[in-house]
Amino acid sequence: MAMKGFRYQRFSHLLRWELHSHKRHYLGLSGGVTLAFLLVQICMFKGKTDVAENVLCVEVAGIMWLVAGLFFTVVLSHVFYPLDTKNHRINYLMLPASNAEKLLVRALVYPLCAAVLCAVALLLADGLRMLLFASAARHYGPVFPYVVGLMAEGAGEILDIAMSPREGGIHGVWIASLIVSYFTFNFSCYLLGSAFFRRHTFLKTSVSLIAFMVAIGFLMDLILWLSGMQSERVSASDALMIYLTDTLVPLFVVLFTLLTVFNVWAGCRHFTRIQIISRKLLQLKK
């Protein structure tokens, strides 16, 4: 009999099973991102003796954020990896828990655990790098505080944009909303790809996302051309900025928000309706 609803006791048992059964996967994630952080720091700090610590550490922190962003997209593209094969689907779907509890563990707890592992990996990479360069002529401190500082600075800039007054164009809150909705949409695409693609989910989702963004670019050029903005009197960049400040930003905020909601809904719906044997194989057997 299928279990329904949500019970904390079942959820806690499922969570413990998740952490215990997939501990090698979590160790692999933490080891991989630690190695990536360490290699980047070694390349950036090696031979640097005449650069101020705050300048170099801020540069390294920016690259750390790029690595962390790439790591998180890879994590999201593997949210539903226990369903990639028939045996894995049997083992996971037969667990004594409801679909809501399984979905919560995979779609929420798994990314949160990965984020914690990423922070721990950065601290570990900091310690290993300082240990390796202990005898160097110039000693640089940890990068972790600068990574946190960049995060706070980025959040502050988005807040400043949102609070900026209206000056001849749209209000800054639309620009801030566009930034947030765009990144949220990107992350939701990898969640959706994890639910629908069985293998090479990160690669397939990335290619699909790039194709979608190229199509959006062509659509913007078509809108500008049809509206007569791309004329000899107005350059393409000026026309684009005019349109962005007038109508396109609110439209894209709504578009990215709706697409994000759809991606999350479609991924969750596909997960709750997953079959052990695909419908194509069932149709072939008839």
Side-chain angles (χ1 to χ4, degrees):
M1 183 176 179
M3 296 185 180
K4 298 181 180 180
F6 180 89
R7 291 182 59 184
Y8 178 77
Q9 185 178 8
R10 286 199 312 248
F11 174 76
S12 61
H13 289 165
L14 180 63
L15 180 58
R16 287 196 295 269
W17 177 89
E18 164 73 21
L19 297 177
H20 176 74
S21 300
H22 299 133
K23 57 185 177 183
R24 290 186 178 181
H25 177 74
Y26 286 102
L27 290 175
L29 286 177
S30 58
V33 72
T34 300
L35 181 60
F37 284 147
L38 181 60
L39 291 177
V40 170
Q41 291 196 27
I42 290 176
C43 293
M44 293 294 294
F45 284 102
K46 185 178 180 180
K48 299 292 181 64
T49 58
D50 56 347
V51 182
E53 178 173 335
N54 60 336
V55 175
L56 183 58
C57 287
V58 168
E59 294 179 359
V60 177
I63 300 178
M64 294 295 100
W65 266 112
L66 293 178
V67 175
L70 178 62
F71 168 74
F72 199 68
T73 55
V74 172
V75 166
L76 288 176
S77 66
H78 289 83
V79 164
F80 298 118
Y81 83 93
L83 307 177
D84 57 349
T85 65
K86 177 182 175 181
N87 289 334
H88 288 168
R89 288 195 290 274
I90 293 175
N91 294 333
Y92 198 75
L93 295 177
M94 292 298 292
L95 290 174
S98 66
N99 285 336
E101 292 156 356
K102 296 172 185 176
L103 180 64
L104 187 61
V105 167
R106 294 306 307 171
L108 182 61
V109 176
Y110 174 64
L112 289 177
C113 290
V116 173
L117 289 177
C118 186
V120 174
L122 181 55
L123 289 171
L124 183 58
D126 265 344
L128 292 174
R129 187 259 308 166
M130 289 189 291
L131 183 62
L132 290 174
F133 289 98
S135 60
R138 177 70 182 275
H139 177 73
Y140 290 97
V143 178
F144 187 83
Y146 293 92
V147 173
V148 177
L150 282 182
M151 179 178 65
E153 182 180 349
E157 289 181 358
I158 293 177
L159 184 61
D160 290 340
I161 293 174
M163 300 301 293
S164 62
R166 181 186 179 94
E167 294 180 0
I170 63 173
H171 196 281
V173 69
W174 283 110
I175 303 296
S177 300
L178 177 64
I179 297 173
V180 175
S181 61
Y182 172 75
F183 282 103
T184 306
F185 162 71
N186 277 268
F187 288 138
S188 69
C189 286
Y190 287 96
L191 178 65
L192 179 65
S194 176
F196 279 89
F197 297 131
R198 290 288 174 261
R199 296 180 179 179
H200 311 295
T201 55
F202 177 76
L203 179 61
K204 291 179 180 179
T205 305
S206 298
V207 172
S208 302
L209 184 58
I210 291 173
F212 175 79
M213 297 311 298
V214 170
I216 290 293
F218 279 118
L219 178 61
M220 291 175 62
D221 287 338
L222 180 62
I223 292 175
L224 293 174
W225 181 75
L226 292 176
S227 62
M229 296 297 293
Q230 288 186 337
S231 61
E232 297 181 356
R233 293 179 292 104
V234 184
S235 65
S237 59
D238 291 337
L240 180 60
M241 290 305 298
I242 292 172
Y243 233 83
L244 282 175
T245 54
D246 287 342
T247 56
L248 287 186
V249 167
L251 289 177
F252 276 109
V253 169
V254 174
L255 174 64
F256 286 138
T257 302
L258 292 177
L259 288 176
T260 300
V261 173
F262 172 79
N263 288 344
V264 175
W265 172 82
C268 295
R269 180 180 175 83
H270 184 73
F271 172 80
T272 56
R273 294 173 176 267
I274 195 71
Q275 294 182 342
I276 295 177
I277 302 176
S278 65
R279 293 181 179 179
K280 292 182 179 180
L281 293 178
L282 290 175
Q283 291 172 357
L284 290 176
K285 292 182 179 181
K286 291 182 179 180

